[in-house]
Amino acid sequence: MKNHIKKGMSGLLAFLMCFTVLLSAGVTPAFAASETCTTYSVGFPRDGDANQVYSNEVWGHPSLTHMNGWHSNDVDLTTLHCMNSYDGQICYCIEPAVEREMGETMSGFGEDFWDNYPSNLNNTIQPDDIKVLLGRIMQYGYHGTLSTAWRSQNSADADKIAHAYATQILVWETHHRTRQRSRYYRRVSRRFRP
């Protein structure tokens, strides 16, 4: 009798586990597709930064033309983006030089975004590969919050700025192959050392 109860309970729990896994399979993409947030930009260097030099040689970059028809404007600071406040969770830009208004509301895309990915955005990597690579970048890249109190003379702050900016560069590189064939990015960490 005791074995029948154990086997019955085991079967019931196995069925319940399979049922809940199947039931929850579509919840995350559906939630991501309906998720919205207000975005903010934080520019570096900040007031009070020891490296407060507004130059495309130090913090920004000159005007660039990238592969697949993308371009970036001349900028003299490094801009990172966050959600719902200036000290919010970091988010990453996938389209360089596409202007947006401060406090603009953005919406997430579902998993089906990659099924209909426009080939003109990146004709060198397949959409499924982009999705896998971006997932890895998000796993290993910076995914904390930003802070308007960060200053590059503080080594912990400099590491976070460098990590977040390196992650942004990898997102651009993967999403639409931003690197010019004749130009390589400078080492990100060099520009943030005190």
Side-chain angles (χ1 to χ4, degrees):
M1 177 88 170
K2 203 174 198 183
N3 284 338
H4 291 303
I5 293 174
K6 285 183 180 178
K7 286 181 183 180
M9 187 60 87
S10 224
L12 178 65
L13 290 174
F15 173 77
L16 187 60
M17 184 175 71
C18 291
F19 179 73
T20 57
V21 166
L22 293 174
L23 184 64
S24 66
V27 172
T28 302
F31 176 73
S34 65
E35 187 177 1
T36 61
C37 70
T38 304
T39 60
Y40 295 87
S41 298
V42 179
F44 296 95
R46 311 280 311 153
D47 286 339
D49 198 300
N51 298 315
Q52 193 170 355
V53 178
Y54 293 102
S55 162
N56 65 21
E57 295 288 322
V58 178
W59 285 92
H61 56 78
S63 181
L64 300 170
T65 301
H66 308 293
M67 293 174 67
N68 295 310
W70 291 93
H71 70 282
S72 297
N73 298 326
D74 180 37
V75 294
D76 59 2
L77 52 91
T78 295
T79 304
L80 297 172
H81 308 282
C82 51
M83 299 185 291
N84 299 321
S85 78
Y86 286 103
D87 293 318
Q89 178 70 37
I90 193 164
C91 59
Y92 294 99
C93 166
I94 60 171
E95 299 174 314
V98 173
E99 294 186 21
R100 61 176 187 74
E101 297 295 320
M102 190 65 64
E104 186 174 345
T105 299
M106 301 289 195
S107 297
F109 290 102
E111 289 290 318
D112 61 341
F113 171 77
W114 299 103
D115 297 336
N116 303 310
Y117 186 75
S119 62
N120 65 323
L121 296 180
N122 185 335
N123 57 21
T124 57
I125 303 177
Q126 294 299 315
D128 287 337
D129 294 333
I130 294 171
K131 181 172 136 178
V132 168
L133 292 171
L134 287 176
R136 289 180 183 157
I137 292 166
M138 293 299 110
Q139 180 180 2
Y140 296 109
Y142 184 78
H143 46 78
T145 58
L146 291 184
S147 175
T148 55
W150 287 350
R151 301 295 182 267
S152 67
Q153 65 263 29
N154 302 330
S155 62
D157 294 350
D159 285 347
K160 290 176 186 175
I161 296 168
H163 195 179
Y165 192 55
T167 304
Q168 177 62 77
I169 290 171
L170 287 171
V171 168
W172 283 332
E173 176 68 18
T174 301
H175 186 259
H176 51 272
R177 309 302 293 179
T178 59
R179 185 176 302 153
Q180 294 176 319
R181 293 172 195 220
S182 62
R183 181 180 175 91
Y184 294 93
Y185 286 109
R186 292 174 281 193
R187 273 188 16 216
V188 174
S189 61
R190 182 184 77 211
R191 65 171 86 155
F192 298 113
R193 288 196 180 135

